[in-house]
Amino acid sequence: MTPAHTGVTFDTMSDANTPQMPHGYDLVKRDRVTSTNESLRALADEGAPEGTMLVARSQSAGRGRYGRRWQSPEGNLYLSVLLRPDCAPMQALQLGFVAGVALGDAISARVPASVPVQHKWPNDILLDGKKLAGILLESGTTGGAKLDWLVIGMGVNVVSAPKDTAFPATALADHGCTLGPGDLIAPIAHALSHWIERWRKDGFAPVRAAWYARAYRRGQAVQVRFENGAKSGLFVGLDDDGAMLLQTAGGARERLSYGAVFPDIGAAG
Ligand code: BTN
């Protein structure tokens, strides 16, 4: 845990305490937006460079995975980062795990060591077993085989968490952390910069190893829920593209590309 918390809110993020961004990262601050992903995508269309990071004080139409809404009251962190990865869309899925590991590093350095930080497949961050943060990747191509832009959106429950979620949610404030949303911007940017470099240099293997070190229910029974059903099995690990490898009761190993993970309460372990 870092010794000093400044409790910097987005509101009070004056020039004096504007976060020190890593080389190549540029911070754009907004008040209320529909969605930071949407605002950043508009900047991408206007030619904004890789490393543009947009934060907003609140969102009126924050987006979650699968078209869900992301509740976005003031006090929490809403941040999106623009990348121009010279890669195919399938390979870019790995960047969700790159972002997850970076966010996990930034958070775990700022909460008491006694409170576990975990990665829940594919890109959620859990604090003490409850969802603290989510990541939403959105991308576009110019018609070729490679991506033109990739926006990584991160939402972190700093002061409050939604009450009505299928998987329980939590906020940093519930664990005695007095951080403000502004306190997390630079640490996230630095961790992201580090892990993107690592991914570009060494590929997915070190990212996957770091993700495994904090993985939620790897080697245990899980239920993966879809819109129209669910599958249960043992969560074996991640395939090379980040798909979940699930060993089902019949012994078959399945690859899952989407779904929401829950503990399988009907199974041992
Ligand atoms: C999820 O877990 O469903 C992903 C949630 C991602 C929320 C963040 S908040 C900042 C960025 N802007 C959005 O509209 N969504 C992401």
Side-chain angles (χ1 to χ4, degrees):
M1 192 174 180
T2 46
H5 300 312
T6 59
V8 175
T9 67
F10 187 68
D11 267 351
T12 59
M13 212 166 61
S14 66
D15 285 348
N17 56 19
T18 287
Q20 284 299 312
M21 301 296 279
H23 178 71
Y25 281 68
D26 193 22
L27 185 63
V28 178
K29 296 183 238 168
R30 293 275 161 85
D31 187 27
R32 184 168 173 81
V33 297
T34 52
S35 152
T36 56
N37 272 26
E38 190 174 306
S39 300
L40 189 54
R41 194 251 154 102
L43 293 183
D45 286 346
E46 290 166 15
E50 164 152 324
T52 306
M53 191 179 233
L54 190 144
V55 289
R57 195 154 59 90
S58 67
Q59 301 183 119
S60 58
R63 307 203 275 249
R65 293 172 67 227
Y66 309 129
R68 288 196 212 105
R69 191 166 168 258
W70 185 260
Q71 292 180 29
S72 307
E74 286 183 27
N76 292 337
L77 180 65
Y78 313 107
L79 170 159
S80 298
V81 187
L82 176 63
L83 299 183
R84 303 269 189 195
D86 188 26
C87 66
M90 279 309 287
Q91 207 193 348
L93 290 179
Q94 296 177 353
L95 282 163
F97 295 86
V98 171
V101 166
L103 186 54
D105 279 0
I107 287 168
S108 64
R110 282 159 188 85
V111 297
S114 56
V115 188
V117 174
Q118 289 173 296
H119 297 293
K120 182 161 98 70
W121 185 85
N123 303 138
D124 292 346
I125 302 286
L126 306 184
L127 190 61
D128 206 17
K130 295 179 183 167
K131 181 161 171 173
L132 177 81
I135 296 175
L136 179 68
L137 263 58
E138 295 180 293
S139 61
T141 62
T142 45
K146 300 229 170 139
L147 288 184
D148 178 44
W149 57 270
L150 176 87
V151 167
I152 301 173
M154 299 179 179
V156 183
N157 300 328
V158 177
V159 296
S160 65
K163 306 268 180 288
D164 54 351
T165 49
F167 195 93
T170 193
L172 287 171
D174 298 337
H175 302 272
C177 298
T178 56
L179 296 174
D183 288 317
L184 290 170
I185 296 169
I188 291 172
H190 283 276
L192 200 54
S193 165
H194 164 80
W195 278 107
I196 289 171
E197 279 312 302
R198 189 79 204 273
W199 175 77
R200 283 190 166 128
K201 190 158 80 67
D202 299 323
F204 190 47
V207 177
R208 178 163 48 190
W211 195 93
Y212 280 171
R214 287 194 290 244
Y216 168 74
R217 289 195 80 82
R218 179 165 172 249
Q220 292 181 284
V222 293
Q223 183 188 59
V224 186
R225 296 186 193 164
F226 317 104
E227 226 170 291
N228 308 316
K231 271 187 183 167
S232 293
L234 189 78
F235 176 20
V236 176
L238 304 179
D239 209 347
D240 289 341
D241 59 355
M244 171 186 267
L245 297 171
L246 189 75
Q247 186 99 32
T248 55
R253 189 174 276 204
E254 293 194 29
R255 266 176 51 88
L256 301 181
S257 310
Y258 66 95
V261 175
F262 287 81
D264 190 356
I265 46 172

